[in-house]
Amino acid sequence: MRLAITPGEPAGIGPDLTIAIAQQAQPYELVAICDPELLKQRAHALGLALNVIPFDASATHRMSAAGEISVLESRLKAPVIPGKLNTANATYVLNTLDLAIAACKSGALDAMITGPVQKSVINDAGIAFSGHTEYLAEKTNTKQVVMMLATEGLRVTLATTHLPLRDIADQITPTLLHDVIGIVHHDLQNVFGIPKPNILVCGLNPHAGESGHLGTEEIEIIKPALQRLRAEGMSLIGPLPADTLFTPKYLEKADAVLAMYHDQGLPVLKFKGFGNAVNVTLGLPIIRTSVDHGTALDIAATGTASPGSLATALQYAENMVKSKRLNNGFK
């Protein structure tokens, strides 16, 4: 198995975390997609030993020993100063993603794990970029993807992602819910290995609309969509008020929660597992997981960044690759 890390923003903690993870032996080949000199320089700054090995897709698969990492090379456009953003390297960051996508699609890599990027510096460079999820969907020609964040005991998926609040209600349509829930159900079965997933669905409005007194989306859109999907054999509970759904009474029987928008579901997830959570993109033709935190520019190259979320993202990716192989009849 080969798992690839794109360290993300080179001036942030992504390179630090990649080097920290490489200090431990792995049961797969760990591949970083970045500038090898960046890793060498950052390892020196951190006082850590690192053996950088050029990645060879044609070579026999192997396990990475402690203190070594394979590197699929992508060259920086400008020198990196830890903690200092540089728009010149915006295209470098996106190129590492492009290389990872291509290698996963070709089968040279089994999954990609993304480190944190700085959206602002990419946009400041004149490149429209709203996030990994949307970028991966575009580059893989995937019409609909779903963002999932997961931690121990909780998986939260999103019907909408990075939208202003005033636009969300207009985006909650029967078609969207059919597509999103279909993807969540499919991937829980085929990538997570859950034969009969149970999905809890949040309402859009406070108290799930209070029987129409606080909004009618639940009555007119969400409930009919869930009824149609139940008729297809899916186990769906809701729409439920989001302020009571995230309680043990409901969650102990749930394989995933579908929130209607970003800040409805993710604050709960991050309160429960920040630093040990993982971001997963469902619906892609490839496996992609990611850290749940930002670039932390202020602590880059200080040795204080915790690799917990990256370790969780790698573990999830490894498990997803194994489950997908079993479901496809491969070991």
Side-chain angles (χ1 to χ4, degrees):
M1 186 185 302
R2 288 168 168 162
L3 303 183
I5 297 175
T6 55
E9 169 54 49
I13 61 171
D16 306 39
L17 302 179
T18 302
I19 294 163
I21 289 292
Q23 298 304 299
Q24 304 295 322
Q26 304 296 341
Y28 45 77
E29 184 174 2
L30 183 64
V31 182
I33 303 179
C34 62
D35 192 322
E37 293 304 315
L38 172 65
L39 292 186
K40 293 175 184 177
Q41 291 168 9
R42 193 64 60 86
H44 178 75
L46 295 170
L48 296 173
L50 187 69
N51 181 26
V52 173
I53 302 170
F55 174 64
D56 182 358
S58 65
T60 302
H61 286 221
R62 63 182 185 82
M63 296 185 290
S64 291
E68 73 172 27
I69 192 166
S70 298
V71 174
L72 175 56
E73 183 178 299
S74 176
R75 287 291 180 181
L76 287 160
K77 305 300 182 181
V80 171
I81 300 174
K84 302 294 183 181
L85 296 173
N86 189 337
T87 56
N89 282 321
T91 55
Y92 157 81
V93 172
L94 298 182
N95 187 56
T96 64
L97 297 178
D98 293 342
L99 288 172
I101 293 166
C104 287
K105 289 176 68 175
S106 72
L109 296 171
D110 294 297
M112 61 183 289
I113 297 87
T114 55
V117 296
Q118 190 83 16
K119 298 175 190 176
S120 61
V121 75
I122 298 174
N123 287 307
D124 287 345
I127 304 169
F129 182 82
S130 58
H132 276 117
T133 302
E134 295 83 357
Y135 188 82
L136 290 166
E138 178 184 352
K139 290 295 181 176
T140 58
N141 296 313
T142 305
K143 181 180 178 182
Q144 181 71 55
V145 295
V146 179
M147 179 187 288
M148 170 192 280
L149 263 78
T151 191
E152 183 67 31
L154 180 62
R155 300 184 185 97
V156 175
T157 59
L158 302 179
T160 63
T161 53
H162 301 120
L163 291 176
L165 284 176
R166 68 173 64 252
D167 297 339
I168 290 170
D170 291 339
Q171 295 297 316
I172 304 299
T173 64
T175 298
L176 176 78
L177 293 176
H178 182 276
D179 292 347
V180 166
I181 295 173
I183 289 169
V184 174
H185 185 269
H186 175 274
D187 279 14
L188 286 174
Q189 286 185 319
N190 294 282
V191 184
F192 286 86
I194 303 170
K196 296 181 179 179
N198 191 33
I199 303 169
L200 304 185
V201 181
C202 295
L204 173 65
N205 298 294
H207 301 175
E210 194 77 73
S211 300
H213 295 289
L214 294 177
T216 60
E217 287 84 2
E218 287 78 11
I219 296 171
E220 297 174 356
I221 298 171
I222 301 175
K223 286 184 179 179
L226 298 187
Q227 289 170 353
R228 286 191 291 272
L229 290 166
R230 290 189 190 106
E232 297 179 14
M234 297 185 195
S235 176
L236 307 170
I237 299 174
L240 296 171
D243 63 345
T244 55
L245 180 154
F246 291 99
T247 57
K249 171 185 175 181
Y250 293 108
L251 292 180
E252 64 185 11
K253 299 179 181 179
D255 294 302
V257 173
L258 177 68
M260 291 296 111
Y261 55 94
H262 188 281
D263 283 10
Q264 183 182 57
L266 296 196
V268 180
L269 186 289
K270 293 196 175 186
F271 175 77
K272 179 177 174 61
F274 189 76
N276 289 291
V278 56
N279 186 340
V280 183
T281 305
L282 306 180
L284 292 172
I286 61 177
I287 291 174
R288 177 261 174 166
T289 67
S290 184
V291 297
D292 70 340
H293 55 73
T295 54
L297 296 168
D298 57 322
I299 60 170
T302 65
T304 59
S306 170
S309 182
L310 181 56
T312 303
L314 282 159
Q315 184 64 64
Y316 260 78
E318 181 184 3
N319 291 340
M320 290 167 70
V321 171
K322 290 177 179 177
S323 292
K324 190 172 183 179
R325 286 178 175 177
L326 286 173
N327 282 312
N328 290 331
F330 299 100
K331 293 185 178 180

